[in-house]
Amino acid sequence: MLKNQKQTYYTDYKAPISGVALFKYDKNFNISVDQLDDIDSKMLDSIENNFISIDKKDHKVSQDDVVLRLIDLNQVYICIFQDKNKEIFKEGQDVKVVVNDSEIDAKVEKIYDKKSEDVVAIKIMEQNAIIYNTRVQEFGIIYRKIQGFKIPIESVVEKNKKLGVYVIDEENKMPKFVNIGEDYYKDAKYYYVDYNKNKESLNLYDRILLYPNFINKNIKVSR
């Protein structure tokens, strides 16, 4: 009798994969891994966060109801698009995805070459609930992490009792003096400046003049 009762009220379902069970599902949009090659910027721009919470209390479940969503940990991707010929990412490159100040390990799995853009598929390499319940999210990608500057001694000069370098002002192409700050280490050949502690001084994209003693301040500098 108990066996018959179980068959009446319960149905056993077995998933083909193992993973994380989540009680949210996306009603309007779903992309599988074998569709990554078809993604373009228009498709990405059309995606919305359409997750619906599954009510687990006081809810009679029928056979066609969604009762949970199973996430395959080995098949979670972030897709972004970039302009052609940017060459920022390379296949197989290790990166970090930053969401809400949390860094998530990831890898550039594939770069799809489209007519007017490149679509970059980034594979998530660790468990993260934020990613599982997100379709659209603003995030940062760390693809090259710079700890500091290595500046030749001959490029550093003293002005107004402060050590600094001359960099090219990108607006008027003229040299300007920039303080290197107080957090640095010096050896016989170089100054090592901690970028994270001197962000108000040197910029990552500054072009430093290697031989400032030969500056003619009336001559603009071009690439």
Side-chain angles (χ1 to χ4, degrees), residues 46-78:
S46 69
I47 300 175
E48 298 179 357
N49 283 321
N50 292 312
F51 283 109
I52 298 174
S53 295
I54 300 169
D55 187 6
K56 302 180 292 298
K57 297 180 180 179
D58 301 324
H59 179 63
K60 293 183 179 180
V61 179
S62 62
Q63 282 191 326
D64 59 349
D65 282 343
V66 177
V67 294
L68 58 85
R69 187 164 59 101
L70 193 63
I71 298 294
D72 182 357
L73 298 179
N74 297 315
Q75 301 291 325
V76 180
Y77 291 85
I78 287 176

Side-chain angles (χ1 to χ4, degrees), residues 23-214:
F23 294 98
K24 285 184 178 180
Y25 73 99
D26 190 342
K27 184 177 180 180
N28 299 320
F29 207 101
N30 187 31
I31 300 176
S32 60
V33 174
D34 57 4
Q35 292 175 299
L36 291 180
D37 191 21
D38 299 325
I39 291 178
D40 56 23
S41 58
K42 290 183 178 179
M43 183 183 293
L44 290 175
D45 287 337
S46 69
I47 300 175
E48 298 179 357
N49 283 321
N50 292 312
F51 283 109
I52 298 174
S53 295
I54 300 169
D55 187 6
K56 302 180 292 298
K57 297 180 180 179
D58 301 324
H59 179 63
K60 293 183 179 180
V61 179
S62 62
Q63 282 191 326
D64 59 349
D65 282 343
V66 177
V67 294
L68 58 85
R69 187 164 59 101
L70 193 63
I71 298 294
D72 182 357
L73 298 179
N74 297 315
Q75 301 291 325
V76 180
Y77 291 85
I78 287 176
C79 287
I80 63 175
F81 63 91
Q82 66 179 11
D83 294 336
K84 299 287 290 182
N85 302 318
K86 277 282 183 91
E87 297 184 355
I88 296 176
F89 301 104
K90 295 181 180 179
E91 291 185 4
Q93 178 182 0
D94 292 325
V95 297
K96 287 187 180 292
V97 177
V98 184
V99 183
N100 298 336
D101 297 326
S102 297
E103 292 188 4
I104 304 167
D105 290 332
K107 181 184 291 290
V108 178
E109 182 82 357
K110 183 74 175 176
I111 299 177
Y112 297 97
D113 186 6
K114 305 294 182 176
K115 288 183 179 180
S116 59
E117 64 195 9
D118 290 331
V119 176
V120 183
I122 300 173
K123 187 173 184 178
I124 300 301
M125 305 301 291
E126 63 178 80
Q127 297 185 28
N128 190 282
I130 296 176
I131 297 294
Y132 301 154
N133 282 331
T134 302
R135 279 289 179 266
V136 180
Q137 173 73 41
E138 289 188 5
F139 57 86
I141 298 178
I142 301 174
Y143 61 92
R144 186 183 300 117
K145 200 164 187 177
I146 298 176
Q147 298 294 335
F149 301 95
K150 182 180 177 182
I151 306 172
I153 283 183
E154 57 268 22
S155 301
V156 178
V157 297
E158 184 176 345
K159 183 177 180 180
N160 298 327
K161 297 183 178 180
K162 291 185 178 180
L163 291 177
V165 293
Y166 280 95
V167 302
I168 303 304
D169 189 314
E170 293 301 328
E171 292 184 2
N172 58 27
K173 304 303 180 185
M174 300 294 288
K176 66 176 181 180
F177 180 82
V178 176
N179 180 21
I180 65 171
E182 298 180 357
D183 292 285
Y184 62 82
Y185 168 77
K186 178 184 176 184
D187 63 17
K189 293 184 177 181
Y190 298 100
Y191 281 86
Y192 302 89
V193 181
D194 189 324
Y195 167 71
N196 295 307
K197 296 180 180 179
N198 295 278
K199 290 183 178 180
E200 296 180 359
S201 301
L202 278 173
N203 188 292
L204 287 178
Y205 304 102
D206 282 338
R207 290 186 290 155
I208 298 174
L209 295 179
L210 295 180
Y211 303 102
N213 293 331
F214 294 95

